[in-house]
Amino acid sequence: MLAASLAVLGVVVSVWRPVAPGLPASLPPQATFDAELLATIAAYRGPRLVLVPLVTVLSVAVPVAVACWPRAQAVVARWTGDRVRASWRAGAVAVGVAALTWVVSLPILVWLGVVHEGRWGFRTATPLGWLRDQVLVAGGRWLAIGLGVVVLLAARRRWPRTWPYRLTAVATLAAGVLVVVHPVLLQPLLLTTTPLPPGETRDAVEEVLAGSSAADLPVVVGDASRRTTRVNALITGLGPTEQVVLYDTLLELPAPQVAAVLAHELAHQEHADVARGTLLTATAALAGLLVLRRVLDAPSVQRRTAARGPGDPRLVLVVVAAAAVLELVGTPIGGAVSRRVEAAADHRAFELGADPAEVVRNVRTFVVRDLAAPDPAPPVRLLYGTHPSPSERIRAAVLAAERAGDDLPSLEDLVAEERTIRHPRAGAAPEGAHP
């Protein structure tokens, strides 16, 4: 009952929540970009459109191939033995499969993260620094996979009928704990933060905070410039650890634009999006574990793995492969939820004082400076889109300006302002504008 209640609550708080209004179908002038810039974006993103999906395919193909390989099954059987209680050895096998998957994908990741990002001027970390970050992130994932397998097999052995429900409650609690401790224990491993220094930007930030319901929410600066030139911000933590992190690269933008970004993050805080996402963990966990139970209980799986009991560690390869498939299936669903959440935060940010003109400038900065695609292709949006597209966000800002009776800068003025921040390969003097 507890697991079902948590899963239902996750759906309820995700469906019945603040949402953004519908957007106009017409494309405003502020959402158009010149042909030279669009060609530059296509040149940058072209290799990524091939290699990133390839990494996604490998993340599923490798675990499935290992699970279907008779020799791998024999090795696991010898390693874990006939003892039903060899869960820790099974956890080590799961870590090994996860590490193998990462190693197979590593050449592609190196080319994308080191070579490609370096050529285009986005990477500021050294290759060794980049690799250290990748190992930290991957290592945390491997540890989580290994511990998850140990707990799953132990629970399946101890509670053959009710283990999916018990583990749903455990997963939800674990997610809540990780969210709370993230700014204190995990985030410092990759992003060192310092207080926001005095100045025009801090004054603009404090003005936005004063007009919100989170006047005491800490706003800190993360040293993202050690790794990238891209701009970003995020809200992290929960309860006493909740804070907004502004990338130090974001502070290169004018103070009004930074204030507009902060308003978006404050909207997430007001909507309790971090807490809602934590509750949604229960929904995803219960659905995934119930599917996994059907897979593990299938007679064909029992025969193929020669499993001798519900918690037999020889099932570990099937568990890892099934988890990889379930993660891939759940990605589009998670992306759709995220885009809805981000659109609602965009809408609320205007009500919290974000100037639509500054939002337009911010979104165009993502495009002209960081080479974000104005309108990603539907398959890319389906699998990897976590935010509304830049075109959609500009349309939302134009709609907010119309409702408030505010004027927006013309396309010519915006292009003139962007001459100094355009990506060098796009040139500094565009001619003409095209949708």
Side-chain angles (χ1 to χ4, degrees):
M1 290 179 64
L2 173 62
S5 298
L6 288 171
V8 171
L9 184 59
V11 173
V12 169
V13 299
S14 298
V15 174
W16 282 276
R17 51 156 296 117
V19 295
L23 297 178
S26 59
L27 189 70
Q30 292 82 359
T32 60
F33 300 89
D34 63 90
E36 183 181 15
L37 176 63
L38 295 177
T40 303
I41 293 172
Y44 164 69
R45 300 185 67 84
R48 295 180 58 85
L49 292 177
V50 175
L51 296 180
V52 172
L54 180 57
V55 172
T56 301
V57 170
L58 289 175
S59 69
V60 177
V62 172
V64 171
V66 172
C68 295
W69 190 23
R71 183 175 293 275
Q73 296 170 3
V75 170
V76 170
R78 287 196 299 270
W79 167 252
T80 57
D82 292 331
R83 296 171 298 171
V84 173
R85 297 185 179 276
S87 298
W88 287 102
R89 292 190 177 189
V93 171
V95 170
V97 175
L100 174 63
T101 304
W102 182 76
V103 169
V104 171
S105 303
L106 186 58
I108 302 174
L109 297 175
V110 169
W111 192 90
L112 285 171
V114 177
V115 179
H116 191 58
E117 291 294 287
R119 286 175 179 172
W120 286 85
F122 293 125
R123 176 179 58 82
T124 58
T126 65
L128 286 179
W130 176 89
L131 183 61
R132 168 190 171 274
D133 291 344
Q134 294 294 311
V135 171
L136 276 175
V137 174
R141 177 180 172 84
W142 301 342
L143 179 62
I145 291 173
L147 290 177
V149 165
V150 171
V151 172
L152 186 148
L153 293 177
R156 181 173 162 81
R157 181 179 63 250
R158 177 67 177 81
W159 301 289
R161 293 177 59 251
T162 61
W163 63 270
Y165 307 101
R166 295 175 183 271
L167 291 187
T168 294
V170 171
T172 308
L173 176 62
V177 171
L178 285 175
V179 168
V180 172
V181 304
H182 179 268
V184 180
L185 299 179
L186 304 179
Q187 181 178 283
L189 296 175
L190 295 173
L191 199 65
T192 302
T193 59
T194 56
L196 183 64
E200 184 180 358
T201 297
R202 180 170 174 176
D203 294 340
V205 164
E206 290 179 346
E207 183 177 351
V208 175
L209 286 171
S212 71
S213 59
D216 297 328
L217 184 66
V219 179
V220 297
V221 180
D223 61 344
S225 59
R226 293 194 299 120
R227 295 175 174 83
T228 182
T229 62
R230 300 180 189 276
V231 298
N232 202 356
L234 65 149
I235 186 167
T236 181
L238 195 62
T241 65
E242 194 170 35
Q243 63 181 7
V244 173
V245 181
L246 306 177
Y247 279 19
D248 54 357
T249 52
L250 181 66
L251 302 187
E252 300 170 6
L253 302 183
Q257 290 183 237
V258 178
V261 172
L262 176 63
H264 173 90
E265 302 304 328
L266 292 179
H268 281 306
Q269 193 273 344
E270 184 178 285
H271 292 169
D273 286 332
V274 175
R276 291 174 189 270
T278 303
L279 285 172
L280 194 57
T281 300
T283 308
L286 183 57
L289 289 170
L290 289 176
V291 172
L292 185 59
R293 181 171 69 175
R294 294 292 299 270
V295 172
L296 296 180
D297 289 345
S300 59
V301 172
Q302 298 283 339
R303 290 193 303 270
R304 190 174 186 87
T305 59
R308 300 185 178 182
D312 195 315
R314 283 172 288 194
L315 292 167
V316 59
L317 295 181
V318 178
V319 171
V320 175
V325 173
L326 288 171
E327 183 179 6
L328 177 62
V329 172
T331 296
I333 301 174
V337 172
S338 178
R339 291 192 297 272
R340 188 167 182 259
V341 168
E342 296 295 339
D346 282 347
H347 175 66
R348 179 56 180 159
F350 298 123
E351 300 173 344
L352 291 175
D355 186 344
E358 303 305 331
V359 171
V360 170
R361 290 187 174 96
N362 279 339
V363 177
R364 289 185 62 90
T365 296
F366 300 151
V367 176
V368 304
R369 182 180 185 271
D370 294 348
L371 301 183
D375 283 296
V380 176
R381 177 181 173 86
L382 178 68
L383 277 176
Y384 306 108
T386 58
H387 289 65
S389 69
S391 174
E392 290 172 328
R393 302 183 91 165
I394 291 176
R395 285 154 57 195
V398 171
L399 179 62
E402 291 175 351
R403 291 182 172 180
D406 296 336
D407 293 328
L408 289 176
S410 67
L411 176 61
E412 291 74 16
D413 291 341
L414 289 170
V415 170
E417 293 173 4
E418 293 162 0
R419 291 177 185 272
T420 59
I421 65 171
R422 283 171 65 95
H423 193 279
R425 295 207 187 178
E431 296 181 0
H434 305 277

